[in-house]
Amino acid sequence: MTCTCPALGIEIVSMNGNKNYLPRTIDAAIEGCLGWRGAVCIEGPKWCGKTWTCRQQAASEFLVGAPDDNYLNRRLCESNPLLGLSGEVPHLIDEWQEVPGIWDAVRMEVDRRGGFGHFLLTGSSTPRPRAISHSGTGRITKLRMRTMSLYESGESDGTVSLRSLFDGGFEDHLVKSLDVMTLSYLIIRGGWPGLIGCSERIAMRNAADYIQNFLDEDLSKVDDRSSREKDRIHILLKSLARNEATTASVSKIASDICYATDVNIKHDTVNEYLDLLGRCFLIEDQPPFTFSARSSLRLKKAPKRHLTDPSLAAALLDLSPAKLVKDPQTMGFLFEALVERDLDIYAKAIGGKLYHYQDYNNKEADAVVQLSDGRWGAFEIKLGSNSIDGAAQGLVRLKAKIEADSPDNAPSFLAVIAGTVGAAYKRPDGVHVFPLTSLKP
């Protein structure tokens, strides 16, 4: 079965004959992990597609949170976690964190059975510390899942491969350019699988409801004390939205809360809130890049702040596509967040990791992807094509500085990812330029 992406007019082929399933980059990683580990746990925000993805490879399932018979499954597992483990393998246990004892039961069952590929677990939050007695090391491996990238949702034609940038396989070609209104819609809609092809109104309502449901319902399941402080956490989320794709400090966030509530808040409390949001997979830190010890360049160590999907930042700021287009600065930051979400997904798919670069010589790169063999590439992210020259020149200066300090640490490639450019090409200075809607792993 195929379906058509309205933005680019390309066809998407589903897998396993399931007409409703769009393949995800994490599919191959799940299959691979089942071949060398007894259990695989897929973690990520609610509604990002974890259960649907695991069902493509599971032979049986047990839904802990199913409401049938007054939540019988959950009550049975609270009495005896082993009751949820029976079924043909790979056996899916969905939302295991609702009964934390399932984790230790799975670990013990993997030891008892031996071999690989017994269980698939999904989780939309991490239980409180000490809710489980063992890390699962050697038995359970974890994979992080995010909302859909534009390649997964069909809005990227995939003519530029991240892997090919490292391997020198890039070729110049024309691509279909998107206008800023279409890009703003992609930001507002986000990567939620259930919203592919939906209207602007539905997309906006979904993101707003997502935040409100977290504050009203999910927060109390993870931390009773924090749920009584949901107004402050809501303000903190708004602060994170205003500071999306920046290295906002805890002091900055605390100041935002103080300004909105006229209450001084301790930095330790802000850190507790951030930890909570991290355990609920609502935020994603983009860590700073570091060199080997041989380099004399001093790099800044602050992480870049992200909500797990740019649609949540837009909802917290009460932005529609039309409002976003009229605010180029904010749209630039949210476009950067969209790009870095996709880069994170693509990097993981090829065994890499996403970072950002800032040094004390005022040199920076919006994003860095580093492979397991140490090779890395630097990216600048610009919404409009009129900013490409300046971004490329900044990357060239960055590379020259690194090569002068430590040639062995030089990047493998430089690239500018733009929003509205109509071609993928390599500039005379060696910098690659292409739109996000052409990128794939």
Side-chain angles (χ1 to χ4, degrees):
M1 173 271 195
T2 62
C3 58
T4 300
C5 165
L8 294 173
I10 64 176
E11 289 188 327
I12 312 157
V13 182
S14 65
M15 65 181 294
N16 295 338
N18 186 332
K19 65 180 181 179
N20 294 315
Y21 185 72
L22 295 178
R24 308 293 293 269
T25 60
I26 202 172
D27 291 330
I30 294 172
E31 183 178 7
C33 288
L34 286 171
W36 61 270
R37 187 64 82 212
V40 182
C41 179
I42 313 303
E43 300 180 322
K46 281 191 170 183
W47 215 47
C48 73
K50 299 183 299 298
T51 305
W52 205 230
T53 291
C54 287
R55 279 175 172 164
Q56 308 312 303
Q57 303 193 41
S60 61
E61 66 179 31
F62 184 87
L63 308 179
V64 177
D68 311 61
D69 297 324
N70 193 25
Y71 295 93
L72 178 62
N73 283 358
R74 185 168 59 204
R75 290 188 287 112
L76 287 172
C77 284
E78 287 172 343
S79 173
N80 182 358
L82 292 173
L83 295 175
L85 275 55
S86 298
E88 186 178 352
V89 301
H91 178 58
L92 168 60
I93 305 172
D94 189 52
E95 299 294 352
W96 72 270
Q97 81 285 347
E98 294 194 15
V99 182
I102 288 176
W103 181 272
D104 290 323
V106 167
R107 176 184 63 84
M108 293 179 63
E109 187 66 9
V110 167
D111 278 347
R112 187 187 71 81
R113 295 183 187 183
F116 309 128
H118 299 296
F119 300 104
L120 281 165
L121 290 76
T122 71
S124 299
S125 64
T126 302
R128 301 172 191 177
R130 296 180 294 279
I132 56 178
S133 62
H134 194 282
S135 67
T137 300
R139 290 87 163 181
I140 308 172
T141 194
K142 293 182 179 180
L143 293 175
R144 186 68 168 265
M145 188 170 182
R146 299 197 64 171
T147 55
M148 295 184 94
S149 66
L150 295 188
Y151 182 64
E152 292 168 311
S153 62
E155 278 108 358
S156 168
D157 59 27
T159 56
V160 176
S161 163
L162 179 59
R163 188 185 299 275
S164 73
L165 291 171
F166 282 100
D167 296 338
F170 183 91
E171 294 183 0
D172 293 359
H173 59 279
L174 296 175
V175 299
K176 183 173 181 178
S177 176
L178 296 188
D179 56 42
V180 291
M181 186 57 76
T182 302
L183 285 174
S184 68
Y185 165 76
L186 294 176
I187 291 169
I188 298 293
R189 187 204 66 194
W192 310 102
L195 295 184
I196 304 305
C198 78
S199 69
E200 172 187 315
R201 181 184 62 83
I202 291 174
M204 292 174 61
R205 180 63 182 270
N206 171 78
D209 282 356
Y210 194 100
I211 296 292
Q212 197 60 52
N213 288 339
F214 167 74
L215 294 169
D216 291 343
E217 305 293 338
D218 300 333
L219 189 56
S220 62
K221 297 177 182 178
V222 180
D223 192 299
D224 290 334
R225 182 183 67 82
S226 293
S227 68
R228 296 191 292 272
E229 301 168 359
K230 68 178 183 180
D231 290 342
R232 289 189 183 183
I233 293 176
H234 193 191
I235 293 168
L236 182 144
L237 285 167
K238 289 184 176 182
S239 173
L240 291 173
R242 285 192 295 272
N243 292 289
E244 175 64 52
T246 73
T247 55
S249 66
V250 170
S251 297
K252 167 64 174 170
I253 296 169
S255 295
D256 281 356
I257 296 175
C258 179
Y259 180 81
T261 63
D262 201 29
V263 174
N264 288 320
I265 186 169
K266 295 180 179 179
H267 289 188
D268 287 348
T269 303
V270 173
N271 281 320
E272 288 176 10
Y273 291 161
L274 292 173
D275 177 70
L276 173 67
L277 296 174
R279 288 196 287 121
C280 294
F281 307 114
L282 272 185
I283 59 175
E284 301 266 354
D285 278 351
Q286 184 178 340
F289 186 59
T290 57
F291 287 127
S292 68
R294 294 192 301 269
S295 174
S296 63
L297 286 175
R298 294 177 59 241
L299 304 185
K300 295 182 180 180
K301 298 180 180 180
K304 190 183 285 189
R305 310 277 185 189
H306 292 293
L307 287 150
T308 194
D309 190 270
S311 64
L312 301 181
L316 286 158
L317 297 175
D318 192 28
L319 293 171
S320 66
K323 286 181 181 178
L324 191 55
V325 168
K326 293 177 182 177
D327 185 350
Q329 183 177 22
T330 299
M331 185 167 179
F333 282 116
L334 295 193
F335 176 68
E336 183 177 334
L338 180 72
V339 173
E340 287 165 345
R341 179 202 67 188
D342 284 11
L343 278 175
D344 184 46
I345 295 168
Y346 302 155
K348 288 174 181 174
I350 63 172
K353 294 182 179 180
L354 178 69
Y355 303 91
H356 74 98
Y357 179 102
Q358 283 186 315
D359 64 28
Y360 286 90
N361 294 314
N362 297 318
K363 301 290 190 300
E364 63 179 35
D366 292 326
V368 164
V369 171
Q370 184 176 41
L371 301 183
S372 58
D373 62 11
R375 289 181 294 161
W376 65 282
F379 298 84
E380 277 289 286
I381 300 165
K382 298 298 177 184
L383 180 61
S385 57
N386 59 335
S387 301
I388 291 173
D389 282 345
Q393 291 164 11
L395 288 172
V396 170
R397 288 192 294 269
L398 170 65
K399 182 179 180 181
K401 177 66 177 177
I402 295 170
E403 287 179 330
D405 174 78
S406 179
D408 291 342
N409 285 324
S412 298
F413 67 86
L414 306 173
V416 177
I417 300 179
T420 57
V421 66
Y425 60 96
K426 189 173 182 180
R427 292 163 48 100
D429 57 16
V431 178
H432 302 79
V433 179
F434 50 86
L436 177 61
T437 48
S438 285
L439 190 59
K440 71 174 182 178

